[in-house]
C-alpha cells in the first residue's frame, strides 16, 4: 500500500479538508495513475452532503479523473507507462453478467463498483479523484486522445459520457430537435455533443444570463424557463429533451414540450421523488426515461468522438484549497461550466 495526499469530506456539514489515504499495491491487472486533473461533478456535492443516503465518511470524491500512467501490473496490455488516461464513475463490475458482457457495465446486475463510496473487491471503500494518485483495474481505464487539451479533458469522464450516451441512444442527429434543460456541467456538454451530432439544439435555462454562451457552445435557440410564454411557445416541439437539472422540476410542464413519440430523459439526479401525471404521457405518446453514465466501450467512443469533432469542456482550473468555494458556486448555478482541480495543488 502507499499513502497519498487527498482532499476529503469529514462529514455532511463540514468543508472538505486535506488528508492522506491509502492506495492498494498495483496488482497484475492494475495501473497506477498520477492524477493531473479532477473535475467537480454536482454528484460529488449530492454525495458528500448526504443527500442521496448514507456516506462512509471521511470520503474522497471525484469521478472525472485524468492523469498519466506511472506503473503497470505484469498482465496489463491496454496501457503503458507514460500514457494519458482517464477514469470515470466506475472502477469495476462483475464482468460476467449479460449487461457487462454487452459493454453496459454501468448497469451491471451485481452493481458496478463506483469510483468513490463503493465497496471494492478487497472489501475496502473506494476513494475518488481529489487525490494525487489512484490504482485502477486496466479495463476501467480509458485512453485520452492527445487532441483533447489535457487540463480540459477530465469532465468528459462523467459529464461527457452521461450526455453522449442518451443522445446516442435516442438518435440525436440531423432532423431531430433536441432540448437541453440546465446549462451547467452536463448541460454544456449536451449542447456541444448534440450540435456535433447534427441535431437542432435548444437550451432551456432558468434565465437568459448565459444565452450568449449557449449560442456560442452550439445551441440554435435559447429560452428562459422563468418566462411562462416559453412553455406555450414550445408546446409539442421536441423529439428529445435531456434534463440535466440537479433540483426538483415540474416534469409535466417539460413533458408537454415533446412532440409525437418524443422522449424526455432525466440525467439530473435530485434526491426527492418527482410527481408526474400519466395523462401527459398519453398525449403525443410521450416517454419519460432515465440514463446513467455510460459503459466503458461507449466512454472510449465518446472520447474519440470529442477528439474528432474538436469538442472539449469549458473549464475553470482551481487549486485544491478552492474546492469548498467552488461547491458554493456550483450550487448557485454560477459555474462556467466545470471546475477542474489542478491535482499538483493537492
Ligand atoms: P450543475 O453544473 O450544477 O448543472 C445543473 C444545472 O441545472 C444548473 O447549471 C442550472 O442551469 C440548473 N438548475 C440548478 N438548480 C435548478 C433549479 N432549482 N431549477 C431549475 N434549474 C436548476 O450540475 P451537473 O454537474 O451538470 O449535474 C447535474 C445533475 O446531473 C446532478 O443532479 C448530478 O448529480 C446528475 N448527474 C447524473 C448522472 C447520471 O449518470 N445520470 C451523471 C452525472 C451527474 P441553468 O442555470 O441553466 O438553469
Ligand atoms: Zn458525475
Ligand atoms: Zn455485471
Amino acid at each position: 500500500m502507499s499513502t497519498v495526499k487527498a482532499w476529503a469530506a469529514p462529514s455532511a456539514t463540514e468543508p472538505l479538508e486535506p488528508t492522506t489515504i491509502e492506495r492498494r499495491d498495483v496488482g497484475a491487472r492494475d495501473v497506477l495513475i498520477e492524477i493531473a486533473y479532477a473535475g467537480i461533478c454536482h454528484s460529488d456535492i449530492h454525495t458528500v452532503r448526504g443527500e442521496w443516503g448514507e456516506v462512509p465518511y471521511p470520503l474522497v470524491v471525484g469521478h472525472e479523473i485524468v492523469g498519466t500512467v506511472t506503473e503497470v501490473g505484469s498482465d496489463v496490455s491496454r496501457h503503458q507507462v507514460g500514457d494519458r488516461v482517464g477514469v470515470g464513475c466506475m472502477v469495476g463490475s462483475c464482468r460476467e453478467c449479460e449487461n457487462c458482457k454487452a459493454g453496459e457495465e454501468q448497469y451491471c446486475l451485481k452493481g458496478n463498483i463506483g469510483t468513490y463510496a463503493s465497496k471494492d473487491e478487497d472489501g475496502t471503500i473506494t476513494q475518488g479523484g481529489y487525490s494525487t494518485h489512484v490504482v485502477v483495474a486496466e479495463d476501467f481505464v480509458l485512453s485520452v486522445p492527445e487532441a483533447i487539451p489535457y487540463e480540459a479533458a477530465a469532465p468528459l469522464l462523467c459529464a461527457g459520457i452521461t450526455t453522449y450516451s442518451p443522445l446516442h441512444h435516442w438518435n440525436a442527429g440531423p432532423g431531430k430537435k433536441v432540448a437541453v434543460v440546465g446549462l451547467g456541467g452536463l448541460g454544456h456538454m449536451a449542447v456541444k455533443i448534440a450540435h456535433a451530432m447534427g441535431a437542432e439544439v435548444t437550451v432551456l435555462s432558468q434565465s437568459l444570463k448565459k444565452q450568449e454562451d449557449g449560442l456560442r457552445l452550439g445551441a440554435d435557440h435559447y429560452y428562459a424557463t422563468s418566462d411562462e410564454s416559453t412553455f406555450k411557445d414550445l408546446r409539442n416541439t421536441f423529439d428529445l429533451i435531456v434534463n440535466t437539472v440537479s433540483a426538483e422540476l415540474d416534469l409535466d410542464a417539460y413533458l408537454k414540450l415533446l412532440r409525437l413519440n418524443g422522449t424526455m430523459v432525466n440525467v439530473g439526479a435530485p434526491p426527492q421523488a418527482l410527481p408526474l401525471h400519466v395523462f401527459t404521457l398519453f398525449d403525443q405518446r410521450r416517454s419519460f426515461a432515465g440514463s446513467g453514465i455510460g459503459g466503458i466501450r461507449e466512454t472510449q467512443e465518446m472520447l474519440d468522438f470529442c477528439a474528432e469533432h474538436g469538442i472539449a469542456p469549458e473549464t475553470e482550473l482551481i487549486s485544491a484549497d478552492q474546492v469548498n468555494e467552488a461547491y458554493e458556486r456550483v450550487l448557485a448555478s454560477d459555474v462556467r461550466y466545470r471546475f477542474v482541480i489542478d491535482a499538483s495543488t493537492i
Side-chain angles (χ1 to χ4, degrees), residues 89-141:
C89 303
M90 301 180 283
V91 291
S93 73
C94 86
R95 298 169 173 84
E96 286 167 357
C97 73
E98 59 176 323
N99 293 351
C100 283
K101 282 188 174 149
E104 305 269 25
E105 302 88 352
Q106 76 279 29
Y107 304 127
C108 174
L109 294 171
K110 292 184 183 150
N112 69 60
I113 301 173
T115 302
Y116 55 76
S118 265
K119 200 173 191 190
D120 211 341
E121 280 166 19
D122 61 7
T124 61
I125 298 296
T126 56
Q127 303 290 338
Y130 300 1
S131 167
T132 57
H133 299 78
V134 66
V135 177
V136 181
E138 67 157 342
D139 50 349
F140 282 81
V141 176

Side-chain angles (χ1 to χ4, degrees), residues 190-230:
V191 169
K192 286 191 176 214
I193 293 169
H195 173 70
M197 288 175 170
E200 183 180 329
V201 183
T202 300
V203 173
L204 302 174
S205 179
Q206 292 169 95
S207 73
L208 294 179
K209 268 191 268 177
K210 297 180 261 187
Q211 183 172 24
E212 218 174 283
D213 286 355
L215 298 176
R216 178 176 53 80
L217 296 169
D220 301 282
H221 316 282
Y222 200 105
Y223 291 86
T225 53
S226 51
D227 183 347
E228 270 303 310
S229 66
T230 293

Side-chain angles (χ1 to χ4, degrees), residues 1 31 36 40 70 77 95 105 142 147 149 160 177 196 199 219 221 229 268 281 284 291 305-306 308 314 323 331:
M1 284 211 297
V31 299
I40 295 179
T70 53
S77 58
R95 298 169 173 84
E105 302 88 352
L142 288 306
K177 292 186 177 180
H221 316 282
S229 66
L281 300 176
Q284 307 304 314
S291 184
F305 176 91
C306 289
E308 191 188 319
E314 312 255 318
V323 65
L331 291 169

Side-chain angles (χ1 to χ4, degrees), residues 42-43 46 158 183 185-186 205-206 210 244 267 269 291 293 338:
H42 204 122
S43 301
H46 289 304
C158 176
L183 195 63
L186 267 57
S205 179
Q206 292 169 95
K210 297 180 261 187
T244 75
V267 290
S291 184
I293 52 173
R338 199 57 138 188

Side-chain angles (χ1 to χ4, degrees), residues 28 40 47 54 57 60 63 68 73 78 154 158 196 201 204 207 242 250 272 279 284 291 319-320 322 328 338:
I40 295 179
T47 301
E54 265 186 54
Y57 298 109
V60 177
H63 57 207
T68 305
R78 292 188 188 199
C158 176
V201 183
L204 302 174
S207 73
V242 180
D250 176 357
Q272 59 277 73
F279 287 92
Q284 307 304 314
S291 184
S319 54
Q322 292 175 291
E328 292 309 320
R338 199 57 138 188

